[in-house]
Amino acid sequence: MDPRRWTVVGAPSSAGAHTPGVEGAPAALRAAGLLGLLGVDVEDAGDVAGFRWRPDPAYPRGQNAGAVAAVASAVADRVAAALRRGRAPLVLGGDCTVTVGLVAGCARAGLSPALVYVDGGPDLYTPVTRANGNLDAMGLAHMLGLPGTVPEVAGVGPAVPLLSPERVVVYGDSLPPGDHERDLVAELGLTYVPAEEVHADARAAARRARSVAEGAADGFVVHFDVDVLRFVDAPLADVPEPFGLSLGDAAATLAELVASPRFAGLSVTEINPDHLPDDELLPRFVEVLAGALTGR
């Protein structure tokens, strides 16, 4: 695989989260050496203006929506600029809503991408169905323009919705039958690659996701939320996932997706540096992540 020409965009925001912490991830990933491991053609576009989570009692079911939209819009500007120069954006979140900026940036650059959503949950809640109001559980719902979403977040891109269902692959979650979001995945007709399929053969599962994404659009982007990982194996995430993917599963998945000639960009989200048990875990994770992204 040819080395990617990465442009790194930091999004130090926990605006969409349910507590603060993940806003520290871009700095922590840089300090752990990520950029140096990504190859020779890597540029750092710096950080957009960030936001540290705070309660928003005026809008309890869609908390900090203005900040979420502002961060996503700023990310979209830098993503679009990178794509216009033929570079692959690597967005370092922050919470999951920064992926709205990744997809909106593609749209601002004239692309209509597919999205492979690698996450412990598909983030299909809305303010109507999510009482605690954390928008990082609603990111994909806003990109799909589902009823009840917040207009200023859904409208970050040049069109609403940003995505149509045939351009979405939900990947890696272990939600049980009967779960609200899993039912929505089926109702909307989203391609679904569950955790058990990834556990059985991560490369094969990723190839299926890649094939769908390649067939649905001229290019695709990947959202990677570390809460898809088993928390006891990689205690990085803001929200622990007890039945998630192994780090090897995730690495194989990302390597397969990034190797596609139609891969256009990636977001890495929900790393909470406050959850790290020691100074060794994040550098190990960074080495695995960089290895997957560079084909090593």
Side-chain angles (χ1 to χ4, degrees), residues 103 111-116 161-169 190 213 216-217:
V103 177
L111 307 176
S112 296
L115 171 63
V116 181
L162 276 171
L163 292 167
S164 54
E166 69 273 8
R167 290 191 282 129
V168 176
V169 179
L190 309 181

Side-chain angles (χ1 to χ4, degrees), residues 8 20 38 51 53 79 81 102 139 177 179 224 238 249 274 296:
V8 176
L38 288 175
F51 186 92
W53 178 89
V79 165
L102 173 62
D179 177 88
F224 175 55
D238 193 43
D249 289 339
D274 293 339
R296 295 197 300 269

Side-chain angles (χ1 to χ4, degrees), residues 23-283:
E23 75 280 355
L29 288 165
R30 288 186 178 98
L34 176 61
L35 274 65
L37 294 171
L38 288 175
V40 295
D41 194 353
V42 180
E43 65 178 17
D44 192 346
D47 288 350
V48 304
F51 186 92
R52 180 175 169 85
W53 178 89
R54 62 189 65 127
D56 187 2
Y59 302 98
R61 285 185 172 264
Q63 295 193 47
N64 301 313
V68 165
V71 170
S73 185
V75 168
D77 284 342
R78 298 197 191 187
V79 165
L83 289 168
R84 291 184 184 117
R85 296 171 52 231
R87 303 188 66 88
L90 172 56
V91 179
L92 305 179
D95 70 70
C96 284
T97 60
V98 304
T99 298
V100 177
L102 173 62
V103 177
C106 291
R108 291 183 186 184
L111 307 176
S112 296
L115 171 63
V116 181
Y117 208 77
V118 183
D119 198 303
D123 298 337
L124 288 170
Y125 287 101
T126 72
V128 177
T129 57
R130 183 75 171 180
N132 64 359
N134 55 306
L135 283 160
D136 65 351
M138 312 181 203
L140 185 53
H142 282 77
M143 288 183 273
L144 288 165
L146 298 188
T149 49
V150 181
E152 62 187 311
V153 177
V156 167
V160 179
L162 276 171
L163 292 167
S164 54
E166 69 273 8
R167 290 191 282 129
V168 176
V169 179
V170 171
Y171 187 102
D173 73 56
S174 53
L175 297 175
D179 177 88
H180 168 73
E181 289 186 290
R182 183 158 176 175
D183 288 348
L184 262 181
V185 168
E187 180 182 325
L188 294 167
L190 309 181
T191 298
Y192 184 46
V193 183
E196 54 263 31
E197 183 176 341
V198 185
H199 293 318
D201 189 333
R203 287 279 184 180
R207 283 194 295 270
R208 181 163 82 88
R210 170 177 163 173
S211 177
V212 171
E214 289 174 339
D218 290 337
F220 69 88
V221 294
V222 179
H223 161 91
F224 175 55
D225 179 347
V226 298
D227 79 3
V228 78
L229 300 170
R230 282 196 299 263
F231 193 71
V232 293
D233 294 342
L236 302 158
D238 193 43
V239 179
E241 168 55 61
F243 306 112
L245 307 184
S246 70
L247 193 54
D249 289 339
T253 293
L254 292 175
E256 183 67 34
L257 295 173
V258 170
S260 170
R262 295 189 181 180
F263 169 80
L266 170 70
S267 59
V268 179
T269 69
E270 300 285 351
I271 292 172
N272 190 332
D274 293 339
H275 288 174
L276 298 174
D278 53 48
D279 295 331
E280 299 176 0
L281 176 62
L282 191 60

